[in-house]
């Protein structure tokens, strides 16, 4: 068999070399093996052409206030990549035509953009998506985003963002999938699958770019761009986990982060970029630096100038320079000074070319031109966006079954700065999303309740001011209503990049509005629209029910209204812990086990958070039977089946997510109190019983990773944990 394979390879190489003699250049041969095409093209490229492939410039208007872009440089046709901020496929194709026809070798440009939670059909922010516990739905949403982006001229999305975040003061907490490594891995893979489809060369596939590699979310004090103190143990146990999963899922590229990792910047970190990512994980795509990350090496004190910054980043493993233009200016000089090698340049260039070949860009370099109407906002796309919005929303509190709203309610006071908002609930990094596309809560409520209920609207106050003049109108609206919906939350730019806040509390004016409404004595439902966990210690006691709607994108209005009416039974569970106060940060479910579990409490406030990771209520009730194990003792090489019967003991159908955790009470290192290792979401009709199963693979689910990235499975006792029950089993040699 092996001989046949060798003969076949030899034959195909001879065949293609014959073709070459007949003048058909191999790298232009669409049926030639990609590695043969790369090799052939590399052999033809000059040093300057190679270096240009390692630069990413900007094209079109830039709307990210944190990256004030200079004027569009005269774009050389040999440029490797462009960040394309507009959405004009004709313009994009005109630039691509320059590359294909005016450059010597006709190497296509790779066009990238921040497609984060949708392109034009914007769905919930990532932190909310994870609360849906529905990765299949996220894949569908990402596939819609990919198609809209591809038809707008984009080949590369700068996402998924996989930064495991436990400090809500950090504004970018909204862009990832919460505090848990496994959850970030599952939803990151779901997004990669949505973007990249079955094959990168499929007509509507785009390349994913895993970011920000790595440890950015540990920015000290939640202050963006700051230092991240991360031990090797924590790096492996927490921050690398989602990246490894997504690399294994075939993600095409990775973006190196701004932060330093205990003194060694992520964009100049040979250990993470080369030893781990490229050598250990065998990643064969390319690494692009974050915007300006190379120049930041100077401010971070590891490079005296741009040239040294380029040297350190390149030798660490950054293949492409986003926007700094440092590689263009200095790589040749560094090569001539023998500070970098031609081998490394060829490796970096081949990685970029590999992604372009895999995308099919050499064979289909141009964007299919369809009308704007046919490109965006298809009805079926909005259905997915609305479904994901609804499944992402979390019922945090529901005293005395305040919700769903009863038919006896004839007047609803709809109050607060979010009630009619369309500019902020779309969520940051909104891409080409437009507030004109956003359905407000008010609009959703009119559709859902308009026929039978009078809506008494009053804004009440602004997001952040000292002006209480709107309170009176709000109190009057409440006084004539049977129920108050007070809709408060965050502005668009209070989360996202460079959006750190010293407190998780909402501005005082919004809290005061709730206190004023409480005085009316009417039942109050608090509706939150935010991109980070919110401090609710003062608000929670004032209200009867709380719905976390997050920033749901363009289809949140009806999604929320249908939850409030009971048409949809809420099924979301938190992907991040809500601290009681900012002072509790950091607090997350998988903290290590304390040596004094019953001490070390705060003197001034309770030590438990407002809501733990995984919290979420339903309009029905689910009862869990006892965990059943297929065995109490297994060998390391055997599998263990854990199962539990869940009953819907309430009055309505509902979806329940069973979160399966493990814990290792006695290990060579102190491990987290518990670790999420699997979850499953199912619909249960009223009275229905369903069995949820978790097949435990000890190597995958019970081992821990040491500081060198070795997976270590130790024998001994373990627990499987769900809800509030835990069952012991033993692993033997
Ligand atoms: C920004 C962000 C990064 C984004 C990039 C391109 O500074 O840090 O997440 O993808 O620049 O806009």
């Amino acid at each position: 068999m092996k001989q046949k394979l060798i003969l076949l390879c030899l034959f195909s190489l001879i065949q293609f070399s014959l073709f070459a003699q007949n003048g058909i250049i191999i790298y232009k041969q669409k049926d030639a093996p990609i590695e043969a095409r790369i090799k052939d093209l590399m052999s033809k490229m000059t040093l300057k052409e190679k270096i240009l492939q390692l630069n990413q410039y900007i094209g079109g208007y830039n709307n990210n206030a944190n990256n004030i872009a200079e004027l569009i440089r005269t774009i050389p046709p040999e440029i490797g990549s462009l960040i394309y901020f507009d959405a004009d496929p004709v313009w994009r194709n005109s630039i691509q035509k320059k590359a294909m026809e005016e450059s010597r070798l006709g190497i296509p440009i790779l066009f990238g953009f921040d497609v984060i939670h949708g392109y034009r059909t914007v769905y919930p922010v990532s932190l909310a998506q994870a609360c849906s516990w529905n990765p299949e739905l996220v894949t569908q949403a990402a596939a819609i985003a990919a198609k809209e982006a591809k038809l707008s001229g984009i080949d590369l999305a700068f996402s998924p963002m996989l930064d495991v975040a436990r400090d809500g003061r950090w504004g970018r907490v909204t862009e990832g999938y919460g505090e848990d490594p496994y959850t970030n891995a599952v939803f990151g893979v779901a997004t990669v699958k949505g973007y990249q489809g079955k094959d990168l060369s499929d007509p509507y596939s785009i390349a994913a770019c895993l970011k920000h590699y790595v440890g950015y979310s540990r920015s000290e004090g939640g202050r963006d761009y700051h230092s991240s103190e991360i031990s090797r143990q924590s790096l492996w146990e927490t921050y690398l986990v989602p990246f490894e999963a997504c690399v294994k899922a075939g993600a095409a590229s990775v973006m190196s982060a701004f932060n330093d990792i205990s003194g060694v910047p992520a964009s100049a970190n040979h250990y993470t970029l080369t030893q781990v990512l490229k050598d250990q994980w065998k990643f064969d795509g390319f690494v692009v630096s974050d915007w300006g990350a190379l120049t930041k090496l100077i401010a971070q004190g590891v490079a005296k100038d741009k040239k040294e910054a380029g040297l350190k980043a390149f030798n660490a493993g950054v293949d492409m320079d986003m926007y700094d233009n440092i590689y263009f200016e200095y790589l040749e000089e560094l090569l001539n000074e023998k500070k970098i090698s031609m081998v490394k340049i060829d490796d970096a260039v081949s990685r970029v070319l590999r992604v372009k070949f895999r995308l099919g860009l050499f064979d289909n370099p141009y964007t299919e031109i369809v009308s704007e109407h046919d490109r965006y906002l298809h009805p079926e796309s909005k259905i997915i966006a609305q479904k994901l919005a609804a499944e992402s929303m979390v019922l945090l509190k529901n005293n005395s079954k305040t919700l769903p709203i009863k038919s006896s309610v004839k007047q609803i006071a709809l109050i607060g700065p979010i009630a009619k908002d369309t500019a902020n609930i779309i969520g940051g990094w909104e891409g080409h999303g437009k507030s004109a596309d956003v359905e407000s809560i008010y609009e959703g409520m009119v559709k859902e309740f308009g026929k039978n209920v009078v809506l008494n609207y009053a804004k009440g106050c602004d997001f952040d001011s000292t002006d209480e003049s709107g309170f009176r109108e709000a109190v009057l609206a409440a006084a004539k209503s049977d129920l108050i919906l007070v809709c408060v939350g965050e502005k668009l730019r209070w989360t996202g990049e460079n959006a750190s806040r010293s407190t998780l509390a909402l501005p005082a004016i919004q809290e005061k509005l709730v206190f004023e409404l409480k005085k009316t004595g009417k039942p109050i439902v608090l509706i939150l629209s935010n991109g980070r966990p919110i401090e609710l210690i003062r608000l929670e006691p004032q209200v009867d029910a709380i719905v976390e709607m997050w920033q749901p994108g363009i289809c949140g209005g009806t999604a929320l209204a249908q939850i409030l009416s009971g048409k949809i039974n809420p099924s979301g569970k938190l992907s991040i812990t809500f601290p009681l106060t900012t002072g509790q940060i950091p607090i997350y479910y998988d903290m290590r086990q304390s040596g004094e579990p019953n001490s070390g409490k705060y003197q001034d406030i309770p030590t438990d958070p407002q809501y733990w990771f995984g919290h979420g209520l339903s309009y029905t009730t689910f009862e869990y039977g006892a965990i059943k194990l297929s065995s109490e003792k297994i060998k390391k090489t055997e599998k263990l089946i854990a199962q539990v019967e869940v009953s819907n003991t309430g009055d309505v159908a509902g979806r329940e997510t069973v979160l399966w955790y493990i814990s290792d009470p006695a290990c060579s290192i102190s491990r987290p109190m518990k670790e999420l290792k699997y979850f499953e979401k199912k619909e249960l009709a009223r009275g229905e019983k369903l069995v949820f199963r978790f097949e435990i693979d000890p190597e995958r689910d019970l081992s821990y990773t040491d500081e060198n990235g070795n997976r270590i499975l130790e024998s001994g006792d373990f627990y499987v944990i769900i809800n509030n029950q835990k069952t012991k089993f033993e692993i033997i040699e």
Side-chain angles (χ1 to χ4, degrees), residues 383-398:
I383 289 169
I384 294 295
Q386 183 170 309
K387 201 165 174 318
L388 186 50
E391 291 205 35
S392 301
M393 295 181 186
V394 187
L395 180 59
L396 295 175
K397 179 180 183 181
N398 192 21

Side-chain angles (χ1 to χ4, degrees), residues 64 67 114 158 172 211-212 255 258 290-291 322 497:
N64 178 351
N67 299 336
D114 286 295
F158 296 129
R172 306 200 74 168
K211 73 184 188 183
H212 304 80
M255 183 187 295
F258 292 136
D290 197 346
W291 185 300
M322 181 192 290
E497 184 176 356

